Amino acid sequence: MSGIRFARVSVAYGRTTVLDSLDLTVEPGEVMALLGPSGSGKTTALRTVAGFVRPAAGRVFIGGRDVTGLPPYRRGIGMVVQSYALFPHLRVDENVAFGLKARKVARREIPGRVAEALELTGMAAYARRHPRELSGGQQQRVAIARALAIRPDVLLLDEPLSALDARLRSGMLGELARLHRELPGMSMLYVTHDQVEALTLADRVAVMDRARLQDCGTPQELYRRPRTEFTASFVGDANFLPVTAGGAGTVTFAGRELEVPEVPESPVAAGAAATLCVRPHLVALGPGPNALRGTLAEAQWRGATHRLYVEVPGGHRVKADVRELREPPAPGAEVTLHFAPADAVLLPAGVTPDA
């Protein structure tokens, strides 16, 4: 059983800090997703574990062992990148065997280890083919098989599905989830900017921005009860309404009182400016608690749902994802939206992301 620990790890290129004092632990057997925009530091963190980047400060541990000064081949890691990085002149089985030969595994063991890895990834029938004879999804499975063949303590995945189309990406997510179930002792560190991948696959998600860790928790925790506006905006979609915190579970928005959950030791004091966060699928059409009346700006058909954009008092726009409407109201119509108090999250005021 193995895990990963970042102990106040910082990385700088010249005067630019690209990873700032990262403290994070990936438990043995856990899938941790590093989620964030480009330039947030997530790939740098992964490359630090791999040994391709030397930290300016802090230590990296794998399985309790300090690997900060070790070369990549002595860290017990497997790595999968978005470009597959297969050797075009080698067959599938030869590509998978490459890492084993580099580590000087006994020749008699290699065929069995290759067969085992190809079986795990569903590629056993393609062992004698070359990469050019495979689809993108199949090539990525070979890359994963090559990483698994060395039986790593830790599997690092850097945007492994970004080069695939939506259908293949969905299938590969299922395959990675299956691998996680079949290899429960192996820790996975998964870098992505795609929130669906992170929410689908990870046991926990670490949200990064501007070289720092912003939040960390289970997908459900980060989605249902985000602690910052950045987390709420990056993990799913959200409405952000500027409010003034009241007492006893109330806030004031555009001159009217709304109800919110009463939270012991709330980070927002009564009378302080705050932000009310509500997910669009939790906003309903019609009268109800926390009703907001406004003007429909746009209704977008999205198959099973319609997304409504409604201009409410104060010049704010609220998004609502409602079940498909047979006859949606026309733009300019007056409509009423509402949401349950329990579905709202009160956050400290900050820079509200664009709608």
Side-chain angles (χ1 to χ4, degrees):
M1 301 289 282
S2 187
I4 305 167
R5 182 162 68 90
F6 297 87
R8 297 196 61 80
V9 173
S10 295
V11 176
Y13 298 134
R15 296 184 178 181
T16 302
T17 298
V18 293
L19 191 63
D20 191 358
S21 302
L22 177 61
D23 266 318
L24 183 68
T25 298
V26 183
E27 299 295 344
E30 182 179 38
V31 178
M32 173 75 80
L34 297 181
L35 179 67
S38 297
S40 60
K42 57 188 188 297
T43 294
T44 300
L46 181 137
R47 289 174 62 82
T48 303
V49 177
F52 302 141
V53 173
R54 185 70 181 264
R59 314 300 294 175
V60 177
F61 297 84
I62 295 178
R65 179 177 63 138
D66 187 342
V67 299
T68 311
L70 294 181
Y73 66 87
R74 292 185 56 196
R75 296 191 178 205
I77 59 167
M79 189 166 182
V80 181
V81 297
Q82 63 187 28
S83 62
Y84 317 142
L86 301 178
F87 297 107
H89 62 289
L90 298 182
R91 298 190 310 263
V92 165
D93 55 354
E94 293 169 332
N95 266 283
V96 175
F98 182 84
L100 297 171
K101 293 177 179 177
R103 284 165 173 76
K104 294 181 169 43
V105 173
R107 184 174 298 179
R108 65 180 180 278
E109 292 185 29
I110 291 177
R113 299 266 288 268
V114 169
E116 177 186 53
L118 290 175
E119 189 67 35
L120 269 174
T121 54
M123 291 299 293
Y126 300 88
R128 308 292 291 180
R129 295 193 185 184
H130 285 81
R132 64 179 176 274
E133 301 174 273
L134 305 177
S135 68
Q138 290 169 335
Q139 290 184 58
Q140 193 59 290
R141 289 187 188 199
V142 175
I144 294 170
R146 182 176 58 191
L148 295 177
I150 64 172
R151 296 175 182 169
D153 298 320
V154 167
L155 182 61
L156 307 177
L157 302 108
D158 187 8
E159 303 274 10
L161 309 184
S162 62
L164 305 180
D165 63 34
R167 183 181 62 81
L168 287 175
R169 189 180 301 122
S170 177
M172 281 301 302
L173 274 175
E175 289 299 313
L176 289 171
R178 179 183 60 79
L179 281 173
H180 181 216
R181 293 192 298 270
E182 294 185 14
L183 301 168
M186 183 174 64
S187 302
M188 296 187 191
L189 189 60
Y190 189 102
V191 165
T192 182
H193 64 273
D194 188 306
Q195 58 186 257
V196 173
E197 292 179 18
L199 297 180
T200 300
L201 186 63
D203 298 309
R204 286 191 299 150
V205 178
V207 182
M208 302 191 68
D209 185 43
R210 291 172 291 182
R212 297 186 66 90
L213 178 66
Q214 301 293 328
D215 212 339
C216 186
T218 68
Q220 293 84 359
E221 288 169 345
L222 297 183
Y223 188 82
R224 294 172 182 165
R225 287 290 178 264
R227 290 188 283 271
T228 67
E229 289 185 38
F230 180 81
T231 299
S233 64
F234 209 85
V235 181
D237 196 3
N239 292 295
F240 297 98
L241 302 177
V243 298
T244 301
T250 63
V251 298
T252 301
F253 169 68
R256 60 156 303 171
E257 190 173 89
L258 302 175
E259 295 180 59
V260 297
E262 290 192 57
V263 180
E265 299 180 7
S266 171
V268 182
T275 298
L276 194 65
C277 168
V278 187
R279 300 293 184 184
H281 74 280
L282 297 175
V283 180
L285 183 63
N290 287 338
L292 297 172
R293 189 162 180 81
T295 303
L296 181 68
E298 185 179 0
Q300 295 179 351
W301 180 71
R302 298 189 174 188
T305 64
H306 269 93
R307 165 157 291 193
L308 307 181
Y309 292 89
V310 178
E311 302 286 351
V312 298
H316 303 289
R317 177 175 286 199
V318 174
K319 298 169 283 192
D321 291 336
V322 301
R323 182 178 297 180
E324 182 187 12
L325 302 170
R326 292 187 181 278
E327 295 183 7
E334 293 294 310
V335 298
T336 300
L337 303 175
H338 73 273
F339 58 90
D343 292 332
V345 180
L346 190 62
L347 302 172
V351 178
T352 304
D354 294 334

